[in-house]
Amino acid sequence: IPSSMPRSQRTTPLRRRGATLIEQLWLLVLMGALAALTMTSGSALFAALDVAMAAQETVDLLALARDHAIATGDRTAVRFDVAGTRVVVHVGPDTIAVGDFHGSGLTLAATRDSLSYAPSGLGVGAANLRLTLTRSARADTITVSRLGRVQRR
């Protein structure tokens, strides 16, 4: 458009507003691909978080059992219910605390079915305990020495 023409006679090209159908479809394809990537990496992250939280709760239950044995002078036991995916702290018939991981998709494996703490806070029994919490490809291992020391890996 020549600039010597009066402004009223100049025609301006139409402005395009919005996006074409092809551009919108391309955007949907990209969003779908990003959502798929997020879902696959997100599920691994959630599995790792579930395992870490369950392992920490189990360590806390073991500490509670030891502290209770020292404070009350009663032998305190921790039972590992592998089939029910539960960790139960009890003194005789009385249950003190329960860690229930049944609905979380975790599996629990233990080398012994229970552990006892004496009133001195030391573990009772002649063998170490290894407890493994697993979900998908993520696993966390808790080892309790025969003296009652807890170590998480």
Side-chain angles (χ1 to χ4, degrees), residues 133-151:
L133 295 155
T134 310
R135 179 175 172 199
S136 301
R138 303 298 296 191
D140 210 337
T141 302
I142 300 166
T143 305
V144 184
S145 73
R146 64 185 71 138
L147 295 177
R149 288 186 303 241
V150 177
Q151 190 175 44

Side-chain angles (χ1 to χ4, degrees), residues 37-51:
L37 285 173
T38 303
M39 294 300 277
T40 55
S41 63
S43 65
L45 177 65
F46 287 132
L49 285 173
D50 282 345
V51 168

